[in-house]
Amino acid sequence: MSGIADIDALRRALADDAGRPEGPGRTARAEELVAAAEALGEPLAVIEALGHLVRVCNHSGDRGRMLAPFTRLLRMWDERPGDFDADEAHALHRAFTWVPVGMLDRPDVPLAAVEECLGEMERRHRIAGYSERAVRGTEHRVAAQVGDPERAGRAYAAWLAADPDGMADCPACELHTQGWWQAERGRDAEALRLWRPVLEGAYACAHEPHTVLASSLLPLLRLGRLDEAGAAHLRGFRLVRGMESMRGACASHVEFCALTGNEARGLELLAERPAYFTDDGNPRSRLEFLSAVTLLMGRLVRLGYGGLEVPGPAGREWTARELAAHARADALALAARFDARNGTAYVGERTRARMERQPFADRLPLGVRPARPLPAPAPPAAPGPAPAGGPDLPALLAEARRLSDTLRPNAVEAWAAVADAADALGAELDARDRAEIAEHAATALGADGVELFEQAAALYAAAGDPGEALAARARAAYVRALAGDVAAASAAVAGPYEEVLALYAADGTGLRQTASVLMGRARVLMRAVHEAAEPGAGAVRAGAEAAVREVLALVDGRDGGDVRLAARAAEARAMLGELAELSGDLRASAELFAQGAAAFVAAGLPWFAVEYEARLATLAHRLGDATGTERALRAALEHGGAELEPPGRARLHLQLAEVTGVRGDAVEAAAHALEAAHWADEAGESATLGAWARQQLGGLLLAQGRWAEAAEVLECALPDLDAGTHGEEVVVQTLWWLGDCLGELGEHRAAAERRLRAAEIARAWPEQHDHATLAHLAGESFGQAGLTAEADRAYARAGDLWRGLGDTPGLVRALRARAWLAADAGEGPDRARELMASAVRECATALEAAGDAETRRLLTAELGDTYRQFGDLLAGSATCGETSDLEDSPGRAALEEALARLRLAVRAFTSLGEDALHDRTGAELAAGRLEAGLGRTAEARARARGVLAAYDGYDTYGGCGDGDGLDGSESERETVADRRAEAERLLHLVADRPA
């Protein structure tokens, strides 16, 4: 193969292939490299290439392919073990950990062959002197997957009892298997206890915590820890999304979606990897995937989506019902093959149990939404024939009247049911009943209900109730006002108002009807207040206030248990609060809103209090009362209960997220933002309110260090965030946060791209600090991604911006970063030296011009850091070796120059006193190391002793009692310990050298 002329070139190619993503391309390249190794004629080259192929196959979608190269390696070992170096001998024995399980994953491999391989592993490990730990761990996995719990239990105990050694799985993989076994035995809490170190990041490897996160989903759901399961799903699927070998883990995530009401997201997961339906390289993982697909499709069918088009095997289109049948049949057939090979029913039983699992939640909000939400389900089948005799009309009438008399939320639907029943029975309702039907139908129509209210008024009059007729006319007038015709509404309500007062005075109607007309007039006049223009607004407000107080004077304290009258009094107080707000008296307004809300709650009508509690929260916020704001929002959510509509619920949760976030409780704030996103989606406002909620949720997750979850949420929010709707600042902040998340996740190129995109938006802003910061951060990300040219351009852009802003520290840091990039890119020491010298000049010039002490202090620290880095850069460029080779060499000159820069750094830090103690001692030790290398033993020894003396009296366990500026924190103690240890090492290095 061209380009591979020796074993060193081969090793570079093997390392490059090892760093590529999993997939057929990597495996094919590994096979090519075996051929290239054979052409070199060196046995060790072939051994290394075969070992690489075994590892690549093990971490692919076709683990069975590793058997042939492994068998060849084993034969080479038996024939000429001397051809193997220590690393390859170790790798050969280590591969035995994977091979039996890889064989077990294929039902066409006889169980006897698996057992033979396991026995061979035990024999060879014993001969090589290894512990039994890897053997027993592999035996446990074989027995557990076959369905032999007794043998699996014995092997499990022997596995844990054996000493760990280099043959055993890494701690993360061992803990995964141990937790999986506990979960299989129904010990979910113990499984999660075992997995905790992996989930918390104490142990990790190429496939962990990926598989632990996937395996933890079902135990978390069974334990009722649904929020944790949602977090594990978001974090875990991001890790396995692009990995060919993770089909089994992907199946667990699909299963999670089916069990938590996230069916639409489950379909998206299936669409991402269509090859998972048909790839047969690993039959066991295909069985797991098909089982999860069957579960998801069955759930969709039961929800009425049987005819929905879904992702499936290539070559045709699939409905959920068709794919459910296909996947079930294939899964059961494959399970039967495993059971026939194993001689147990274990795999089939486990497969059926998985396919029939019941959901743990109708909907578990995740904070992300699918790009294609599920459409409305197919309508249910028509109901069967009505019971003999038809609907019970008297019972429906009684229930409707009860609901309307007590202002229950479902009164409109109840009266509609009465109308339907009367039509079905051909029954003739009296005028009173028809009036109530018309009135409630008008209420459902909102601004279009005028005609029906007028019809209701006529029916009430025909029924002999003139007071209710007038009340219906007043409601019609208010509907006119809602439609925008306030003048006509005011004229329309004047007559009923005069008539009802006269009627009430003559005992011709009751208090309830009179209060209803007065409230209708007050509502109309309140609409006039909102539309009034100066200079006559004051008079309009006065008229409305008089009308509201007239309602209060009529009903306050006279409700006698009538909820309608109590509601009138409560609403009147809230109206007075609204008027007080309009007049600028916010405290009086807040008090009146609170009174109105409390009156609704006391009347048993808490859902009516929600509007006023929400307004009270806004007022409290304007008054700077954070506690009152939070209290009002919580009350609104509580009192709204099941009656609160999704848009209102979303807004209340979003406001609570803001309030609790400002208070510093990021965990609770994130919970509210999650609820807000969910209810915004339910309200059909995903692209507006939902995007805002997701943006807030992403930032709150970021604040908790939950990088993967935050990235998933922010990536979901980003397409919906619009500069016109949400503001450019929100879009930039989202990209900024996303860049931070991706950087923490090691996705540095993607982080750089998000940061540059944000910088492009910020480029047009009048204030350029954000633009400069984002360009600088993009430079950092490009550098971490190894894209040197892109990083240099980004830093150069940032440097120009920092210069324009007069921000010398920013400019200096950009120049230093470019210097290191130049050194790392092999541009030669001159370019790197030039950039670092520019950083020194910029800092020194600004320091000379600085006027105030604080600016001088900051610039002095920056100058010291620049000298320190300049010294490190020059020292790194020196190519000389031992001291005896230094005389008159270019390397010695570079070291001398580096030492001069470090001395300047020490001087700068020293001038800052104790505040720069750690910086000074770090520079001292760097200088001491150079002096030792240059043969200046006395100077090196003096610097080491000076560092030790600087920390005299500092107790690394309890801080310093001498008031030297050290704070005794954990990081402080670690720094002091590191400095002392480094100084001791330097003293030891020069101990035997002459001064």
Side-chain angles (χ1 to χ4, degrees):
M1 182 177 294
S2 61
I4 299 180
D6 54 38
I7 194 168
D8 288 335
L10 174 69
R11 285 168 176 163
R12 288 193 295 272
L14 292 172
D16 178 67
D17 191 48
R20 298 174 68 188
E22 292 180 359
R26 184 169 76 157
T27 306
R29 175 62 172 163
E31 291 172 337
E32 292 173 357
L33 291 174
V34 171
E38 290 169 339
L40 295 178
E42 294 186 44
L44 183 58
V46 176
I47 290 166
E48 291 184 11
L50 286 170
H52 171 71
L53 179 58
V54 169
R55 290 187 290 275
V56 165
C57 290
N58 183 54
H59 293 159
S60 74
D62 188 356
R63 297 174 68 184
R65 291 178 69 176
M66 69 180 163
L67 190 57
F70 174 74
T71 302
R72 183 179 173 187
L73 273 173
L74 204 58
R75 185 171 60 251
M76 293 175 71
W77 169 263
D78 288 338
E79 292 173 354
R80 298 185 58 176
D83 290 343
F84 288 70
D85 63 14
D87 289 340
E88 293 305 319
H90 179 276
L92 174 64
H93 287 83
R94 177 79 179 91
F96 266 113
T97 306
W98 314 322
V99 173
V101 178
M103 297 167 69
L104 196 67
D105 287 344
R106 305 190 63 91
D108 55 323
V109 176
L111 196 59
V114 178
E115 294 289 358
E116 181 181 355
C117 183
L118 187 61
E120 189 69 9
M121 173 187 182
E122 182 174 5
R123 183 182 71 82
R124 290 179 181 269
H125 275 218
R126 185 172 59 250
I127 292 172
Y130 293 117
S131 158
E132 281 197 339
R133 191 173 183 92
V135 175
R136 300 284 80 87
T138 305
E139 180 188 9
H140 163 75
R141 293 171 66 189
V142 169
Q145 292 187 31
V146 165
D148 186 346
E150 290 78 13
R151 181 187 179 191
R154 291 193 303 272
Y156 184 86
W159 169 29
L160 299 190
D163 293 331
D165 61 10
M167 285 296 105
D169 280 338
C170 74
C173 289
E174 282 204 332
L175 288 171
H176 172 246
T177 304
Q178 292 167 22
W180 173 85
W181 176 241
Q182 297 300 330
E184 284 292 299
R185 301 171 72 195
R187 300 175 179 175
D188 291 331
E190 175 62 13
L192 290 165
R193 186 192 68 79
L194 287 166
W195 287 330
R196 186 178 300 122
V198 182
L199 294 172
E200 293 179 352
Y203 300 116
C205 69
H207 287 83
E208 296 299 351
H210 314 47
T211 56
V212 164
L213 285 162
S215 297
S216 72
L217 295 171
L218 188 58
L220 285 168
L221 291 175
R222 287 193 295 234
L223 290 171
R225 294 158 62 174
L226 273 61
D227 290 345
E228 292 178 62
H233 166 67
L234 290 180
R235 180 183 168 199
F237 186 72
R238 186 178 188 87
L239 292 173
V240 305
R241 174 177 274 134
M243 299 181 70
E244 181 194 35
S245 66
M246 287 292 175
R247 179 164 56 180
C250 180
S252 295
H253 288 282
V254 172
E255 176 185 50
F256 165 84
C257 292
L259 297 177
T260 58
N262 286 286
E263 295 83 9
R265 179 169 172 83
L267 293 177
E268 287 197 347
L269 268 55
L270 297 185
E272 287 194 21
R273 296 300 294 252
Y276 275 173
F277 285 98
T278 52
D279 283 351
D280 58 3
N282 187 330
R284 178 174 294 278
S285 74
R286 183 165 182 262
L287 171 59
E288 293 172 353
F289 184 75
L290 290 172
S291 302
V293 170
T294 303
L295 174 66
L296 177 61
M297 295 304 123
R299 177 70 177 155
L300 287 169
V301 171
R302 285 190 290 276
L303 290 173
Y305 294 102
L308 180 70
E309 185 176 332
V310 296
R316 55 161 288 186
E317 294 180 349
W318 295 88
T319 66
R321 184 175 291 106
E322 291 167 342
L323 185 56
H326 173 82
R328 176 180 289 274
D330 276 10
L332 291 176
L334 194 49
R337 291 178 60 200
F338 276 105
D339 283 343
R341 190 274 307 274
N342 297 340
T344 69
Y346 172 73
V347 175
E349 291 171 354
R350 192 168 180 267
T351 299
R352 290 183 179 85
R354 185 175 204 174
M355 294 190 297
E356 300 304 325
R357 285 194 178 114
Q358 297 302 304
F360 292 88
D362 291 333
R363 175 72 188 276
L364 175 63
L366 299 174
V368 296
R369 70 178 180 98
R372 297 178 59 190
L374 293 178
D392 187 346
L393 185 57
L396 291 173
L397 270 168
E399 177 63 9
R401 186 155 286 116
R402 182 188 71 81
L403 293 174
S404 58
D405 284 347
T406 55
L407 299 178
R408 298 295 113 173
N410 297 326
V412 169
E413 292 80 6
W415 281 106
V418 169
D420 291 342
D423 287 344
L425 294 171
E428 182 67 29
L429 296 173
D430 63 30
R432 174 76 188 203
D433 295 336
R434 285 183 284 128
E436 297 219 42
I437 289 172
E439 185 170 17
H440 284 85
T443 300
L445 291 175
D448 296 325
V450 174
E451 186 177 338
L452 275 176
F453 273 124
E454 295 288 1
Q455 180 182 329
L459 288 167
Y460 278 125
D465 192 339
E468 283 295 347
L470 293 171
R473 288 172 57 195
R475 294 186 190 104
Y478 178 54
V479 167
R480 291 181 190 277
L482 289 177
D485 195 349
V486 176
S490 298
V493 82
Y497 169 68
E498 297 292 344
E499 291 177 46
V500 83
L501 288 179
L503 196 61
Y504 181 61
D507 291 331
T509 191
L511 183 61
R512 176 194 285 188
Q513 292 81 0
T514 306
S516 182
V517 175
L518 266 60
M519 179 55 76
R521 176 171 175 266
R523 289 171 176 168
V524 170
L525 294 178
M526 287 295 294
R527 295 298 302 174
V529 168
H530 287 287
E531 296 193 6
E534 297 296 345
V540 177
R541 274 201 300 269
E545 183 175 349
V548 174
R549 292 194 181 281
E550 189 176 8
V551 175
L552 264 181
L554 178 69
V555 300
D556 201 17
R558 301 177 61 197
D559 61 76
D562 186 331
V563 296
R564 286 178 178 265
L565 293 175
R568 302 293 181 225
E571 186 178 356
R573 283 190 172 82
M575 284 177 167
L576 291 175
E578 188 173 352
L579 289 167
E581 181 183 6
L582 290 170
S583 66
D585 192 344
L586 301 188
R587 295 194 181 279
S589 176
E591 177 60 29
L592 286 163
F593 277 134
Q595 289 177 13
F600 275 122
V601 173
L605 304 169
W607 49 90
F608 284 114
V610 173
E611 176 187 351
Y612 305 112
E613 286 163 335
R615 298 183 68 169
L616 176 59
T618 301
L619 284 171
H621 178 70
R622 291 172 63 187
L623 290 166
D625 181 4
T627 301
T629 302
E630 185 173 346
R631 183 170 55 245
L633 291 170
R634 291 187 188 280
L637 276 174
E638 177 188 351
H639 293 147
E643 310 306 329
L644 189 55
E645 292 296 322
R649 192 179 296 275
R651 285 172 173 78
L652 289 171
H653 275 297
L654 192 53
Q655 287 175 279
L656 265 174
E658 181 179 354
V659 170
T660 51
V662 169
R663 176 160 56 76
D665 191 341
V667 174
E668 183 179 357
H672 285 298
L674 177 61
E675 287 293 321
H678 166 68
W679 289 109
D681 292 344
E682 292 292 306
E685 298 186 29
S686 295
T688 50
L689 182 62
W692 175 249
R694 272 181 271 278
Q695 195 260 2
Q696 293 296 296
L697 174 59
L700 290 162
L701 292 170
L702 172 66
Q704 299 173 57
R706 296 161 66 176
W707 320 114
E709 297 165 65
E712 287 287 311
V713 171
L714 292 169
E715 286 174 342
C716 179
L718 201 52
D720 290 328
L721 290 171
D722 175 74
T725 302
H726 302 94
E728 282 188 342
E729 295 82 0
V730 171
V731 178
V732 167
Q733 182 66 83
T734 305
L735 289 164
W736 196 325
W737 281 339
L738 184 53
D740 291 347
C741 291
L742 295 172
E744 292 289 345
L745 294 170
E747 301 175 36
H748 298 300
R749 181 168 191 157
E753 290 167 353
R754 302 306 190 281
R755 287 166 166 171
L756 273 187
R757 182 177 161 192
E760 283 303 308
I761 299 172
R763 180 195 289 272
W765 293 356
E767 208 291 312
Q768 289 287 284
H769 188 273
D770 285 343
H771 182 195
T773 303
L774 286 162
H776 200 116
L777 290 171
E780 289 182 7
S781 295
F782 277 130
Q784 290 169 314
L787 300 170
T788 305
E790 292 87 341
D792 185 70
R793 285 194 296 270
Y795 277 127
R797 174 178 174 179
D800 291 341
L801 291 165
W802 291 130
R803 189 189 302 278
L805 289 166
D807 190 325
T808 301
L811 170 59
V812 168
R813 290 167 189 165
L815 287 167
R816 290 199 308 245
R818 295 181 67 197
W820 284 111
L821 286 172
D824 293 341
E827 297 181 25
D830 291 343
R831 177 59 177 159
R833 183 194 304 264
E834 175 188 340
L835 288 163
M836 199 66 83
S838 295
V840 170
R841 286 194 302 272
E842 294 287 352
C843 204
T845 301
L847 185 57
E848 289 177 4
D852 62 280
E854 178 62 17
T855 301
R856 291 186 61 80
R857 187 187 69 79
L858 291 173
L859 288 170
T860 299
E862 204 66 57
L863 182 60
D865 204 19
T866 305
Y867 278 133
R868 165 66 197 269
Q869 292 194 41
F870 204 167
D872 290 343
L873 184 143
L874 292 169
S877 70
T879 57
C880 52
E882 297 297 325
T883 304
S884 59
D885 301 325
L886 288 174
E887 294 301 328
D888 299 323
S889 72
R892 182 179 184 88
L895 291 181
E896 292 284 8
E897 188 179 355
L899 182 57
R901 297 300 189 281
L902 289 171
R903 287 170 177 159
L904 291 171
V906 170
R907 183 185 305 168
F909 291 136
T910 301
S911 72
L912 296 173
E914 293 298 329
D915 288 344
L917 174 61
H918 298 325
D919 292 319
R920 177 174 67 79
T921 56
E924 291 269 17
L925 289 167
R929 288 192 296 271
L930 285 184
E931 286 167 336
L934 290 165
R936 296 170 186 164
T937 305
E939 290 89 337
R941 186 179 295 119
R943 290 194 187 275
R945 288 173 176 166
V947 169
L948 292 173
Y951 294 114
D952 275 350
Y954 185 88
D955 178 0
T956 55
Y957 296 98
C960 179
D962 297 335
D964 61 359
L966 302 179
D967 60 19
S969 65
E970 179 70 23
S971 61
E972 191 82 71
R973 292 196 297 271
E974 289 178 1
T975 300
V976 173
D978 289 344
R979 292 285 191 274
R980 283 176 168 170
E982 195 172 351
E984 294 288 356
R985 284 195 295 272
L986 182 54
L987 283 175
H988 180 73
L989 177 66
V990 299
D992 298 329
R993 296 183 185 177

